[in-house]
Amino acid sequence: MATLPLDGLTVVAIEQAVAAPFCTSRLADAGATVIKVERPEGDFARGYDDVAKGQSSYFVWLNRGKQSVRLDLTKAGDAADLEKLIAGADILVQNLKPGALDKLGFGIDALAERHPTLITCSISGYGLTGPLADRKAYDLLIQAESGLCSVTGGPSEPARVGISIVDIATGATAYAAVLEALIARGRTGKGAHIHVSMFDVMADWLTVPLLHAEGGKSPRRLGLAHPSIAPYGVFATADGGQILISIQSDREWLRFSRDLLGDAGLGTDPRFATNLLRMANRGETDRIVAEAFGRRDTETLKAALTTAEIAFAELNDMAALSRHAHLNRITVDTEAGQVAFPAPAPQVAGERRSYRAVPRLGEHDALYRTAPKPRP
């Protein structure tokens, strides 16, 4: 197998759930040796569900290619084993409660003194300081606290984003930050100490609706419509299909009016000629589109949209994703057999990666733990 970008690097991951495991799964995919430190009972994400051949879908997805070591860090011998692991590591990723590592003798400042080339990345809910720094935080809680739920869902009530978007976004942010730190260390020889807060990640991602609110135009929940572009939403076809379209420019609106709506005059109509006008007259805009779409069956409409080069999508469910022509999968080994799921998105020309197995709990204890001494 070809050498991977992070071959030769060692990562110690004191992690659980989703955010940190997402980050370290990508480091493992890139070739790093990721030593996952688990409680004696294991990462609690192992018990989230049982749909992946009797195993947790979350755990199988986010822990491929890692090594599992059980340590009870309240015990001196296990803490000593962790110190050995960190001494040989390039990167430490952790998402314990703020202050937990300090109490165990592994505070970030102390680690920096002992291991000046070490890159540490700590993930928390609200950061190290501030009034909520000590509060427990999970994905949906941050969705609510950050305001994400207020701009998600239909007009009647807020909703949760349908995946663990906060955890995933935080893990991806942490991964990017670790890679930046590796590049910097290659130039300076010095480690780095990174902190990523789930709340900060979501606040960053919510910049556009926040600026709208601060500009006096607070976003409204619109379901499958766009808060600032029209027409941009889902419309029914004559045979019950659901097609979502997006008109991104006034030039597209001209073409759309002529080729799909059958009325070129709508392209320059003073009610619809610009996006701001279409937004001001959104109800009428959507009514005209809905009537035009309702006169065609799904396949005829898709063909017309394709010919006119108008962006569109079908409103699919997970069954449709499972059989989608563009779905790329990888297959990984687990203790219960092989599991196939969507492949990581980046594709490198001329490179086809293979993915290592999902570890069983404590599978690699013998490699890294000091053998317990027999009782006298």
Side-chain angles (χ1 to χ4, degrees):
M1 186 174 68
T3 300
L4 294 171
L6 301 186
D7 275 346
L9 294 179
T10 299
V11 179
V12 173
I14 309 174
E15 61 179 19
Q16 54 202 355
V18 177
F22 184 100
C23 170
T24 56
S25 72
R26 271 46 187 178
L27 295 170
D29 288 349
T33 297
V34 177
I35 305 167
K36 182 181 180 75
V37 176
E38 300 192 62
R39 295 181 174 94
E41 67 273 20
D43 180 344
F44 54 71
R46 287 181 179 270
Y48 274 177
D49 60 57
D50 61 358
V51 299
K53 293 194 173 178
Q55 305 161 103
S56 164
S57 58
Y58 287 88
F59 193 87
V60 167
W61 174 40
L62 296 176
N63 292 282
R64 60 183 182 265
K66 301 179 186 179
Q67 299 178 345
S68 171
V69 179
R70 291 172 295 181
L71 293 177
D72 181 348
L73 298 181
T74 64
K75 296 181 177 179
D78 287 14
D81 286 340
L82 178 61
E83 177 59 43
K84 293 177 185 176
L85 288 176
I86 293 174
D90 298 279
I91 301 161
L92 169 67
V93 177
Q94 67 94 13
N95 66 340
L96 302 184
K97 183 180 178 181
L101 280 184
D102 297 77
K103 294 177 181 178
L104 295 167
F106 295 96
I108 299 304
D109 291 339
L111 289 176
E113 290 183 10
R114 297 200 295 268
H115 311 291
T117 63
L118 181 68
I119 294 167
T120 64
C121 181
S122 299
I123 295 171
S124 72
Y126 294 96
L128 299 177
T129 60
L132 303 184
D134 293 330
R135 182 187 287 186
K136 282 189 174 181
Y138 300 111
D139 183 274
L140 181 52
L141 304 181
I142 298 294
Q143 288 196 38
E145 189 78 28
S146 67
L148 176 59
C149 293
S150 76
V151 295
T152 305
S156 61
E157 61 184 18
R160 168 188 178 269
V161 175
I163 59 173
S164 299
I165 188 69
V166 176
D167 284 332
I168 295 167
T170 301
T173 300
Y175 177 53
V178 167
L179 295 183
E180 288 182 9
L182 281 171
I183 294 170
R185 192 181 73 170
R187 294 172 175 168
T188 67
K190 297 180 181 179
H193 308 292
I194 303 159
H195 191 274
V196 181
S197 133
M198 297 161 69
F199 184 85
D200 287 347
V201 171
M202 272 302 98
D204 178 18
W205 282 33
L206 286 162
T207 293
V208 170
L210 175 64
L211 292 180
H212 275 251
E214 293 178 344
K217 298 181 179 180
S218 292
R220 295 179 295 117
R221 290 187 303 274
L222 298 169
L224 287 173
H226 195 281
S228 54
I229 302 173
Y232 196 153
V234 66
F235 298 92
T237 63
D239 56 351
Q242 298 282 305
I243 300 293
L244 198 149
I245 62 156
S246 172
I247 300 300
Q248 288 285 314
S249 70
D250 299 335
R251 182 185 305 171
E252 279 189 339
W253 173 251
L254 287 168
R255 188 166 65 250
F256 181 75
S257 298
R258 182 191 66 216
D259 297 345
L260 272 299
L261 302 181
D263 185 351
L266 291 171
T268 56
D269 190 301
R271 298 170 296 169
F272 312 118
T274 69
N275 182 61
L276 291 176
L277 291 169
R278 292 191 295 276
M279 283 296 297
N281 296 285
R282 183 170 206 151
E284 184 65 8
T285 303
D286 287 353
R287 184 192 66 77
I288 292 169
V289 175
E291 288 184 357
F293 277 37
R295 291 192 291 267
R296 293 181 173 91
D297 63 71
T298 301
E299 292 305 315
T300 300
L301 181 59
K302 286 165 57 179
L305 288 165
T306 300
T307 300
E309 297 184 337
I310 300 298
F312 73 94
E314 294 185 78
L315 185 57
N316 287 331
D317 57 13
M318 290 301 100
L321 174 61
S322 181
R323 58 178 183 268
H324 201 285
H326 279 267
L327 179 62
N328 296 314
R329 292 181 182 265
I330 60 173
T331 301
V332 298
D333 292 323
T334 78
E335 59 182 316
Q338 291 190 326
V339 178
F341 50 82
Q347 298 184 19
V348 180
E351 177 184 306
R352 184 173 180 82
R353 290 186 181 179
S354 58
Y355 295 85
R356 293 168 289 176
V358 177
R360 65 179 183 274
L361 179 60
E363 181 176 347
H364 303 89
D365 284 356
L367 294 177
Y368 301 109
R369 294 192 62 177
T370 302
K373 296 179 180 178
R375 293 182 179 181

